[in-house]
Amino acid sequence: MRFIVIFLALLSFELFGKTIVIGPPDGYTFFWAFKPKTKLDENAFEAVKQHLAKNNGDVSNYYLSKNKLNVAKAVYEFRVKHHSEFRKSKNVMYMPFLSGTFTYDVKSKVVTFIRE
């Protein structure tokens, strides 16, 4: 009886639990763990988070490969990869079209997404 209870408990964790977070691939960091150093970084990151929330996206589904300020265009860029590109399980749908670059226009404060 005790083994049945333990088995059911483990099965319920497997069925109803959230995805286990595994470390990001080499060269990437978690997008949600981005630490802004300046006010511009903070404004751009908050705008991208709001853009994702508005479009039913989740910050935790992305890995950040690089971020930079393009001074010539006055655009702050976040180059990201969707977690499905690094899937280890067949239960995760492969969605490479969600990888690309989020751009934050500093002047107009508009976020756009450019697919790879």
Side-chain angles (χ1 to χ4, degrees):
M1 182 67 178
R2 181 175 31 179
F3 294 111
I4 292 174
V5 171
I6 292 172
F7 175 76
L8 290 176
L10 291 174
L11 184 64
S12 68
F13 288 130
E14 181 68 35
L15 293 176
F16 300 113
K18 276 201 112 175
T19 304
I20 297 172
V21 177
I22 301 172
D26 290 340
Y28 294 90
T29 58
F30 292 115
F31 189 45
W32 54 264
F34 175 71
K35 299 283 187 225
K37 295 181 177 126
T38 65
K39 187 68 174 168
L40 179 61
D41 294 352
E42 184 179 339
N43 291 343
F45 184 59
E46 289 299 320
V48 169
K49 285 195 321 188
Q50 289 175 1
H51 176 77
L52 280 170
K54 186 171 51 174
N55 293 319
N56 296 327
D58 190 8
V59 178
S60 63
N61 289 339
Y62 291 93
Y63 296 118
L64 178 67
S65 64
K66 79 176 169 181
N67 59 306
K68 67 177 182 173
L69 174 63
N70 187 338
V71 179
K73 296 180 183 176
V75 170
Y76 199 89
E77 299 174 350
F78 294 100
R79 189 168 184 86
V80 296
K81 288 274 190 188
H82 194 261
H83 75 91
S84 68
E85 290 201 39
F86 306 103
R87 65 189 176 143
K88 295 186 190 310
S89 169
K90 298 290 182 187
N91 295 335
V92 177
M93 182 185 270
Y94 180 60
M95 298 184 287
F97 56 88
L98 293 176
S99 295
T101 305
F102 286 105
T103 60
Y104 172 73
D105 191 344
V106 176
K107 294 177 185 174
S108 64
K109 298 182 184 345
V110 174
V111 175
T112 57
F113 181 70
I114 302 166
R115 290 189 172 101
E116 290 182 339

